[in-house]
Amino acid sequence: MITLKEALTKSSEELEELKAELEKKAKGSGLNAYVGFESSGEGVPILVKDNIQVKDWSVTSGSKILQGYIAPYEATAIKNLKSKGMMAFGRANMDEFAMGSTTESSFYGVTKNPHGTDRVPGGSSGGSAAAVAGGIAIAALGSDTGGSIRQPAAYCGCVGMKPTYGRVSRFGLAAYASSLDQIGPITQNVEDAAILYDAIKGHDDKDSTSADFEIEDIANNLNPDVKLTIAVIDDHISQADTDIQKAFASTIKALEKAGHTIVHKEMSNTKYDIATYYILATAEAATNLARYDGVRYGTRAESNTTEELFFNTRSEGFGTEVKRRILLGNFVLSSGYYDAYYVKAQKVRHLIRDEFNAIFADADLILSPVAPSVAPKIGANEDPLEMYKSDMYTLGVNLAGLPGISLPVAKNDEGMPIGLQLIAKAFDEKTLFNGAASMEKAVNYTK
Amino acid sequence: MQIDHTVLTKLEKLSHLRIDESKKEEVMGQLTEILGYVDNLNELETDTLDASFSTLEGGTPLREDLPRAENDIAKNILAHAPESQDDFFIVPAIIE
């Protein structure tokens, strides 16, 4: 598949042909990465996760409850990319309401990993990552609340980037956990990620948490030759599978050879990230998802009273994982438990951010695994707590609001990709992308 | 924290969700297990920390509260609602 950079030089006729080819290939791929082939705008086709509003599209967050919903407006990220020679083309499969790490909870069925079709592509932006890795999308948008861009990118062997909280407008992104959600790019390489990130970022007065900072162009100033200080957290790495540890060790060597300085740092156990995230994200989700009641949008269940309408629509429309998180969220917010769970977790968020800040006083970037293993087999993990624990390396970045980028560094003996992530301090996307460009060059990953 | 039938019934009510009878035991077990795990936060000292959190320096920016009408959006939502008439969503009768 041609890169996003190359595609931006093509004529409109060539792009029309490319779109037709993408649709044909996607339909024959058997990956189930696309859940629709809608088209909006003119330019290079970008696949859009099914939770980002494109006006007049049926945007459903991978859920039964939103069947029949038509987006009445356009997300700012979509408006922005349309002004940069790109268009929205197709909806990507995802875990229902972005709640999951495997894309198995989608109303549209599971998406398969192009590197091993008996394996999950990761989640929740599994359709976006599988399509880019499978050569059926040039680039895609995903959303990352607890790792949902970086983890599927790592499982599928492509690049996935989560911007600093506030860099990309959340206007038009179906809310899961509003204090953590960010839209970001999933691409074939680091430069494409920078191009797509540049295209969607920027202040937006329709998002009250949008940062109003001066923004410099990243893609045109990318410098892979910069020498950086990169921190590693030894205690965290020892919790990953041997495959991941081996890839981590060889990446460190490659980075040192490229002239970077590696420093060893400590951080608290990731079990606190997992606990904090699953309290706060479910609390915010319970609140955000209260709007789906069958009155205003999506599907409505048969009912004789309004009370029944709420209960029936939600009980029939939401899947198991979404229900579990709503129940949990309402528990941690309920009278008698609010202080012990919700308030406690909000306080711990300060500790997590302070630990990151302390490391960034001595280092430009942190290198970390993305997931403790390669992509698991479809159906392998049915225990929710075990699935939550597999998010151990990605959650802290969202809780502290930092930018992170996942890129492939190696394959294990079974040919499954291994991705590692770089993390930067808030709003330092420039250093993040420079470090990623350097690491991409240093590890020389073969697809 | 043990989630029993009483707590689950309360959560179903708060969530406007009904859990199938056949799945209740499993759901109670999972919620209990997850809440048992997140109790690990009690190992951390947090008494002096602020209960509010923002990643944005100086908190969320303020803006003038100016009226802005995008009537097409409202019309569009009503047109695609499960049931609507004129400027209203139709729901089952609330008052006899």
Side-chain angles (χ1 to χ4, degrees):
Chain A
M1 177 57 53
I2 60 165
T3 65
L4 175 55
K5 189 183 183 185
E6 288 162 353
L8 284 163
T9 65
K10 300 286 179 195
S11 69
S12 52
E13 290 78 20
E14 286 170 312
L15 290 171
E16 276 308 308
E17 274 174 39
L18 187 66
K19 262 168 59 182
E21 187 194 319
L22 282 176
E23 183 166 346
K24 199 176 154 210
K25 269 178 81 180
K27 283 177 175 164
S29 71
L31 294 177
N32 195 32
Y34 283 69
V35 298
F37 291 92
E38 298 85 347
S39 181
S40 173
E42 279 172 29
V44 176
I46 305 293
L47 175 62
V48 180
K49 188 175 180 179
D50 190 33
N51 61 353
I52 301 170
Q53 313 292 306
V54 182
K55 192 173 184 316
D56 299 329
W57 285 19
S58 174
V59 177
T60 68
S61 289
S63 181
K64 182 181 173 187
I65 209 164
L66 275 172
Q67 297 302 309
Y69 167 73
I70 306 292
Y73 60 87
E74 195 116 293
T76 301
I78 299 293
K79 215 178 261 180
N80 288 353
L81 71 80
K82 281 182 174 177
S83 71
K84 301 279 168 58
M86 300 173 218
M87 62 170 295
F89 180 70
R91 285 181 295 134
N93 202 13
M94 57 182 280
D95 277 300
E96 186 182 7
F97 284 105
M99 297 178 191
S101 314
T102 61
T103 312
E104 288 169 294
S105 71
S106 169
F107 171 70
Y108 304 100
V110 65
T111 293
K112 293 173 177 169
N113 190 314
H115 293 275
T117 51
D118 58 340
R119 294 183 186 256
V120 301
S124 67
S125 311
S128 302
V132 171
I136 52 174
I138 296 167
L141 290 184
S143 66
D144 192 317
T145 304
S148 283
I149 287 175
R150 290 161 287 149
Q151 184 255 37
Y155 281 180
C156 292
C158 42
V159 173
M161 187 258 176
K162 178 222 168 270
T164 304
Y165 185 78
R167 273 294 199 207
V168 176
S169 171
R170 291 181 297 108
F171 182 74
L173 171 66
Y176 158 22
S178 310
S179 78
L180 305 161
D181 298 337
Q182 271 290 286
I183 297 172
I186 296 183
T187 57
Q188 301 170 55
N189 59 52
V190 172
E191 188 179 20
D192 278 3
I195 293 170
L196 190 47
Y197 165 70
D198 277 341
I200 60 173
K201 74 189 181 187
H203 178 251
D204 179 16
D205 62 9
K206 287 179 172 156
D207 172 0
S208 64
T209 58
S210 167
D212 194 1
F213 286 167
E214 196 186 320
I215 295 226
E216 65 181 309
D217 186 280
I218 304 263
N220 288 327
N221 300 305
L222 211 55
N223 179 10
D225 300 319
V226 67
K227 307 295 174 219
L228 301 166
T229 302
I230 302 172
V232 293
I233 320 295
D234 297 316
D235 281 354
H236 287 192
I237 300 147
S238 62
Q239 295 171 54
D241 285 359
T242 322
D243 284 350
I244 310 290
Q245 292 196 36
K246 266 164 63 183
F248 196 87
S250 51
T251 302
I252 288 177
K253 275 193 195 133
L255 288 169
E256 281 175 327
K257 207 174 156 195
H260 301 292
T261 307
I262 302 294
V263 292
H264 296 266
K265 293 282 175 184
E266 282 180 2
M267 273 186 110
S268 295
N269 194 294
T270 55
K271 69 182 182 181
Y272 302 125
D273 295 355
I274 299 165
T276 305
Y277 177 86
Y278 280 97
I279 291 170
L280 298 178
T282 59
E284 294 183 29
T287 310
N288 277 325
L289 271 61
R291 74 190 70 179
Y292 302 110
D293 55 12
V295 174
R296 289 154 296 171
Y297 22 65
T299 45
R300 173 183 286 197
E302 288 285 320
S303 45
N304 296 316
T305 66
T306 307
E307 181 87 350
E308 244 182 55
L309 172 73
F310 298 156
F311 273 97
N312 293 356
T313 300
R314 291 168 63 81
S315 302
E316 291 171 25
F318 288 134
T320 309
E321 182 59 32
V322 174
K323 284 180 189 164
R324 183 157 42 235
R325 294 198 195 190
I326 292 174
L327 292 170
L328 259 177
N330 277 319
F331 175 81
V332 300
L333 289 174
S334 63
S335 172
Y337 301 105
Y338 175 78
D339 285 333
Y341 290 92
Y342 181 77
V343 171
K344 180 81 187 179
Q346 280 287 61
K347 290 181 170 184
V348 174
R349 229 176 143 174
H350 290 265
L351 296 177
I352 293 168
R353 183 182 55 185
D354 292 349
E355 280 197 343
F356 275 113
N357 284 344
I359 291 173
F360 288 126
D362 302 327
D364 302 303
L365 296 170
I366 298 171
L367 177 70
S368 154
V370 176
S373 71
V374 296
K377 296 258 168 77
I378 291 168
N381 200 350
E382 290 186 346
D383 180 56
L385 182 58
E386 286 308 312
M387 186 177 78
Y388 300 171
K389 286 180 184 170
S390 75
D391 298 338
M392 60 193 283
Y393 295 120
T394 48
L395 302 172
V397 167
N398 300 79
L399 290 166
L402 306 176
I405 187 166
S406 158
L407 54 153
V409 298
K411 281 183 181 162
N412 74 354
D413 295 342
E414 299 166 309
M416 293 308 295
I418 295 168
L420 299 179
Q421 64 177 333
L422 288 169
I423 303 161
K425 61 174 177 281
F427 301 106
D428 195 9
E429 274 82 0
K430 186 183 170 184
T431 306
L432 183 75
F433 273 109
N434 283 342
S438 173
M439 186 161 128
E440 185 179 50
K441 213 169 132 185
V443 297
N444 194 22
Y445 173 80
T446 33
K447 281 179 189 156
Chain B
M1 177 69 207
Q2 184 72 36
I3 301 292
D4 57 18
H5 281 280
T6 314
V7 181
L8 184 62
T9 304
K10 184 184 158 199
L11 294 180
E12 286 179 87
K13 198 177 161 201
L14 287 172
S15 307
H16 279 114
L17 283 174
R18 259 190 308 267
I19 303 301
D20 284 347
E21 277 306 324
S22 63
K23 296 220 173 117
K24 281 192 173 165
E25 288 298 330
E26 187 189 352
V27 170
M28 286 188 293
Q30 287 167 340
L31 295 182
T32 302
E33 197 190 355
I34 294 163
L35 288 169
Y37 181 84
V38 304
D39 276 340
N40 70 38
L41 295 188
N42 293 324
E43 296 162 18
L44 301 171
E45 176 55 55
T46 55
D47 285 353
T48 57
L49 295 168
D50 191 351
S52 64
F53 182 89
S54 172
T55 54
L56 299 171
E57 288 288 326
T60 311
L62 298 174
R63 62 166 171 79
E64 286 297 311
D65 194 9
L66 300 169
R68 195 186 294 170
E70 294 188 49
N71 296 327
D72 285 352
I73 293 180
K75 285 201 180 96
N76 209 326
I77 291 171
L78 280 160
H80 295 113
E83 232 185 312
S84 67
Q85 190 185 320
D86 304 325
D87 285 343
F88 300 98
F89 297 106
I90 308 287
V91 293
I94 295 167
I95 304 163
E96 289 293 315

